[in-house]
Amino acid sequence: MSQDDFAHSVVNAQPSWQSRVFNRVLKHGFKRRMQRVGDVHRIRDIAASFDNIGMMAPMPSGVTQRAELVKGLSCNWLTPDGGREDRIILYFHGGGFCIKTPNMHTAMLAKLCKQAKVRGVMVDYRLAPEHPLPTAHDDCFAAYERVLDLGFDADKVVIAGDSAGGNLALSTLMRIRDSELPSPAGGILFSPSTNLALSAEAVLANLDRDPMLSATFLTIMKECALTRPELALDPITSPYHGRHHDLPPMMVVVGTEEVLLEDARQISAKMQASGVKVNLDIWQGMPHVFPLLHRLPEGEQALAQSARFIRQCLD
């Protein structure tokens, strides 16, 4: 890949009518419900109810699933019909390190695998607060080691993740570099939460506009994940605060309507300043991790662009 392949850009001039309608539905149906809860268990229940709907993120046809333990780590392997079985997306789901929505995330990864014509593996890392950080980070780093143990070449692997999973993806890439393991071919961060010490000003700037993430949700997630205050500045758990040199080509995708917009901008700038090839795609009017909603025109397009990036990295 040449440096010309990487740029900071606003992708769409304005959101589609479907996305504008969905943002209103999300704000009234999800965000307001989250504002009334007081503990992580209730948040998990609400997330599970949305995960089971599947309307905006249906599982695509032509993709085979296989759940199995890989040296004790639970993983869901996805293989699209006609896909290259020697090439793989190692994916870490979001959920504030505390929750998971396996149906929506599996459907998104399956769609991405199908478009990129490669296999995928969703890592079921252990969640906080039952397993405090950096347990999730250790699980994700171990997942990469195990993928290599299974015989995959590092240059045929792309590491990706969304939200907290974007944090895990970047942390894993940095640990791979520092451990002198062979580097994967690229990384993708959807709406990443890389700086757990992100200033209140940066968060509050978009909090009212964000149709998904509420102050209550963010507070509960932070209290569950950060059992020790120093973790907010530890490069393992908060990779924004680490060194970003010698990372593979990166793609960062974010919407203008989310509280993590500034996080995405700042980490992209830091990586680029360290010599990393970075493509930051900013989508007008889009909410947090909108590629999950791949029935929306923008979600479909974002996944198609991500698939092209993956094919470029792996070819």
Side-chain angles (χ1 to χ4, degrees):
M1 282 189 186
S2 69
Q3 183 66 41
D4 292 338
D5 291 325
F6 294 85
H8 294 67
S9 62
V10 175
V11 179
N12 55 332
Q14 61 182 4
S16 65
W17 69 264
Q18 296 99 319
S19 295
R20 292 195 298 270
V21 169
F22 186 77
N23 278 351
R24 290 196 291 270
V25 172
L26 194 60
K27 191 165 189 174
H28 291 280
F30 185 81
K31 184 175 183 176
R32 287 190 177 180
R33 289 180 68 185
M34 287 296 190
Q35 287 174 328
R36 296 194 293 266
V37 301
D39 65 83
V40 67
H41 302 291
R42 180 59 183 140
I43 286 178
R44 286 173 175 171
D45 290 341
I46 295 172
S49 68
F50 275 83
D51 188 43
N52 290 329
I53 296 175
M55 179 176 63
M56 299 306 297
M59 185 71 183
S61 61
V63 180
T64 301
Q65 296 188 62
R66 187 182 82 252
E68 66 176 49
L69 290 175
V70 180
K71 294 186 177 179
L73 189 62
S74 179
C75 298
N76 189 15
W77 291 79
L78 304 172
T79 304
D81 294 347
R84 293 286 302 269
E85 295 199 7
D86 62 334
R87 303 176 184 206
I88 190 168
I89 305 167
L90 180 62
Y91 199 90
F92 308 136
H93 69 80
F97 306 106
C98 302
I99 62 178
K100 56 185 176 181
T101 51
N103 294 330
M104 293 181 69
H105 277 95
T106 299
M108 181 181 75
L109 180 57
K111 182 88 171 180
L112 188 57
C113 290
K114 189 172 181 178
Q115 292 181 337
K117 300 185 185 304
V118 299
R119 299 179 74 188
V121 57
M122 181 78 69
V123 178
D124 189 15
Y125 58 85
R126 289 170 289 177
L127 300 178
E130 293 85 354
H131 302 281
L133 298 186
T135 301
H137 297 80
D138 294 339
D139 284 351
C140 291
F141 179 68
Y144 181 70
E145 293 182 305
R146 291 163 189 176
V147 163
L148 297 184
D149 290 343
L150 289 173
F152 288 93
D153 293 330
D155 62 0
K156 302 303 180 187
V157 179
V158 168
I159 292 180
D162 64 275
S163 194
N167 174 305
L168 294 166
L170 181 57
S171 173
T172 299
L173 288 165
M174 292 161 59
R175 290 178 75 174
I176 291 168
R177 176 203 61 205
D178 294 343
S179 67
E180 299 183 353
L181 286 173
S183 174
I188 300 178
L189 312 179
F190 296 120
S191 300
S193 175
T194 67
N195 182 4
L196 301 185
L198 193 65
S199 70
E201 292 79 8
V203 171
L204 291 174
N206 252 19
L207 188 57
D208 288 339
R209 293 174 61 184
D210 192 314
M212 182 178 179
L213 300 181
S214 68
T216 301
F217 176 85
L218 294 172
T219 299
I220 293 174
M221 292 298 98
K222 193 166 186 176
E223 289 175 350
C224 287
L226 294 180
T227 54
R228 292 182 284 122
E230 63 269 21
L231 293 177
L233 298 174
D234 189 319
I236 294 294
T237 50
S238 195
Y240 174 86
H241 299 283
R243 297 174 297 115
H244 305 103
H245 63 91
D246 296 331
L247 297 178
M250 302 292 297
M251 182 177 189
V252 182
V253 180
V254 69
T256 60
E257 307 304 292
E258 56 175 302
V259 296
L260 294 178
L261 173 60
E262 191 59 27
D263 190 324
R265 285 174 169 158
Q266 290 181 6
I267 191 59
S268 297
K270 285 197 74 172
M271 290 190 294
Q272 187 177 58
S274 298
V276 179
K277 297 177 179 179
V278 181
N279 181 35
L280 170 61
D281 286 350
I282 301 174
W283 289 75
Q284 289 287 355
M286 299 311 298
H288 187 59
V289 198
F290 68 92
L292 270 176
L293 312 168
H294 54 255
R295 272 192 171 171
L296 295 177
E298 292 87 352
E300 174 84 24
Q301 187 180 349
L303 288 182
Q305 292 180 352
S306 300
R308 285 195 292 271
F309 173 83
I310 291 169
R311 291 194 298 269
Q312 287 178 316
C313 289
L314 298 181
D315 286 344

